[in-house]
Amino acid sequence: MKYRLRTFLLATGGFVAALVIAAIIATYVVLQPERFTSLLQARAKAAGLSLTLASPATPTLWPSPALELDGVTLRLPDGGTPLVVASRGKLVLPWRTLMGRDTSISRLEVEGARIDMDAVSAYLDTLPKRPSTAGAALPTIDAGFHISRGTLLRGNRLVLSNVEADAGRLASGRRFSLSLAAATDDGHPYQLVLATLPTLRDGVLTLDDLTLDMASPEHFETNLKGSALWRGGADVGASLAGRLSLEKMASYAMLLNVTPANQEDPLYIALKLDGETGHADLRVPPLALADWWAGVQAGSAPALPPALGSADVEAVDAGSVQVKGLRIRATPNVPVSASSSAPASGSK
């Protein structure tokens, strides 16, 4: 009896071992890692970039077909600072890939990615400029992606650390969501969650059922809902409403509108706040604001951001920016003026 049991166990073990070996061989033969590596490199080349791996991709079957990538580097073909360097990557594939013909990717996972914004900016400058009369566009993302333990740099300067990002497939008529969490160089954590239904038709992009949640624990939380529209160029419009809650302070009803540029006025973002501890009705040109922020980052002399309207707020605590007793009065023909019982602290 014991002899028969031992014979049965040995036979079963041998059968299972044979299946495992056959599965490993089939994984390499069917998935053919080199074809997916070539596919990635071809897509990068089509975008004007060069992609390299520290070692050949390794296929796996559990919990789903995938290719493990080691030492991913993305840079311009002529060299220079890499746009992205990641310690590890993973291509999650649909099960139909095992049939041997499908080369689609269902998800891209990247771990330990270092993204250099200066290199990304230099790459964007090489792309053809879109005509100002061109309609809206929606960059399709065939596969979702996930980034963990990421770092955002500008040259040798740290911008964001502990970056965690997750997004689904981006396509017209398909619900899209994006979540992002990161910490600034001074350690303040921030979170953002966006969800919408994008639709691109006849050069017009609409973002329906748009929700935008932003927060910095122990400082503020914003929850907005609405819609947005883009017809190309600076023809952008949006209307979002919700609440802004400041930690240990009263909350504010919040209204955010974006008005497109015309022959007289630039693109404006209008912000209205209404609460027990303050009110604000401001318009900010985002392009001028970007120039102001670049100057701040470059170490220019302190200056108030470009804005029109008025604000009376007891306190603002947005993590790295803290202001008390804020008073602003600004009109199109009068420079921005403000008073504050305490200067901004920790602003970046």
Side-chain angles (χ1 to χ4, degrees):
M1 188 70 177
K2 292 182 179 181
Y3 175 77
R4 292 180 179 179
L5 178 60
R6 184 169 55 186
T7 301
F8 173 76
L9 292 176
L10 289 174
T12 303
F15 178 71
V16 171
L19 285 180
V20 171
I21 294 173
I24 294 174
I25 295 175
T27 299
Y28 276 89
V29 172
V30 175
L31 291 184
Q32 298 178 16
E34 65 278 1
R35 65 173 175 158
F36 285 94
T37 301
S38 298
L39 174 63
L40 285 177
Q41 292 173 333
R43 289 184 177 180
K45 185 177 181 180
L49 296 169
S50 172
L51 183 144
T52 58
L53 301 177
S55 59
T58 303
T60 61
L61 282 179
W62 183 259
S64 61
L67 292 176
E68 301 282 354
L69 310 177
D70 182 35
V72 183
T73 301
L74 189 66
R75 59 171 18 113
L76 290 172
D78 56 358
T81 303
L83 282 70
V84 180
V85 176
S87 58
R88 294 182 59 191
K90 185 176 182 179
L91 299 180
V92 181
L93 312 173
W95 281 102
R96 61 178 180 271
T97 305
L98 296 179
M99 300 302 295
R101 296 181 178 274
D102 195 344
T103 57
S104 61
I105 300 170
S106 59
R107 187 172 176 81
L108 170 63
E109 299 177 0
V110 179
E111 181 180 347
R114 294 169 59 89
I115 304 172
D116 191 296
M117 294 303 297
D118 286 342
V120 172
S121 179
Y123 162 68
L124 294 177
D125 289 341
T126 66
L127 300 180
K129 303 297 183 183
R130 283 175 52 85
S132 59
T133 56
L138 180 65
T140 301
I141 301 177
D142 295 331
F145 67 85
H146 178 78
I147 298 175
S148 60
R149 298 192 302 106
T151 304
L152 198 64
L153 304 170
R154 187 174 291 279
N156 294 324
R157 186 173 62 84
L158 176 65
V159 179
L160 294 175
S161 62
N162 296 324
V163 177
E164 300 280 338
D166 192 274
R169 178 187 174 193
L170 178 59
S172 178
R174 181 185 179 94
R175 185 73 179 172
F176 173 75
S177 62
L178 168 68
S179 64
L180 175 66
T184 56
D185 59 349
D186 55 3
H188 288 288
Y190 290 88
Q191 301 170 356
L192 180 147
V193 178
L194 179 147
T196 187
L197 177 62
T199 303
L200 181 63
R201 183 179 295 113
D202 299 328
V204 178
L205 176 63
T206 57
L207 302 179
D208 294 319
D209 192 17
L210 174 62
T211 62
L212 179 62
D213 300 327
M214 297 180 291
S216 179
E218 301 182 359
H219 294 290
F220 75 93
E221 181 177 355
T222 302
N223 308 105
L224 299 172
K225 294 183 179 181
S227 61
L229 181 70
W230 181 35
R231 294 187 176 90
D235 193 350
V236 180
S239 179
L240 298 169
R243 298 201 70 81
L244 168 64
S245 300
L246 301 178
E247 188 69 16
K248 301 178 182 179
M249 301 178 187
S251 64
Y252 297 86
M254 184 174 180
L255 182 63
L256 186 67
N257 287 320
V258 179
T259 55
N262 53 43
Q263 294 181 348
E264 298 180 357
D265 298 316
L267 178 71
Y268 269 110
I269 297 177
L271 172 66
K272 291 185 178 181
L273 297 175
D274 189 10
E276 295 181 0
T277 60
H279 307 273
D281 189 352
L282 297 170
R283 288 197 306 157
V284 178
L287 297 180
L289 181 64
D291 292 338
W292 169 82
W293 183 254
V296 172
Q297 295 290 306
S300 300
L304 291 169
L308 300 176
S310 63
D312 294 281
V313 183
E314 288 186 4
V316 175
D317 185 352
S320 60
V321 177
Q322 301 176 12
V323 180
K324 292 184 179 179
L326 179 65
R327 304 287 184 270
I328 293 178
R329 298 290 183 273
T331 65
N333 299 320
V334 179
V336 175
S337 63
S339 63
S340 174
S341 61
S345 64
S347 59
K348 297 292 176 183

